[in-house]
Amino acid sequence: MDNIEMARSYLKQAEERLKHAKEALGNNHAFVIRQSQEAVEPSLKASFYYT
């Protein structure tokens, strides 16, 4: 797996976390924050692979 594929994989993980966060909006504030935080981590990793 090359760097671009790794970055895409991390971005896909981040998108899934954000999807779950959006679904929980208005219902579970703590879960939304947690999922949003967890989306940041793979997004940052992806940015390292793109550079």
Side-chain angles (χ1 to χ4, degrees):
M1 183 177 282
D2 67 5
N3 285 351
I4 299 299
E5 290 173 353
M6 283 294 285
R8 287 185 180 141
S9 174
Y10 279 122
L11 288 175
K12 188 173 182 177
Q13 292 175 34
E15 288 172 354
E16 279 296 311
R17 300 280 193 234
L18 287 177
K19 183 180 106 178
H20 293 297
K22 287 178 184 178
E23 290 171 354
L25 274 175
N27 296 325
N28 189 342
H29 185 72
F31 183 74
V32 171
I33 292 170
R34 176 69 180 176
Q35 290 299 301
S36 298
Q37 176 189 354
E38 288 186 11
V40 171
E41 295 168 7
S43 298
L44 287 173
K45 287 179 183 178
S47 71
F48 291 129
Y49 279 100
Y50 271 128
T51 57

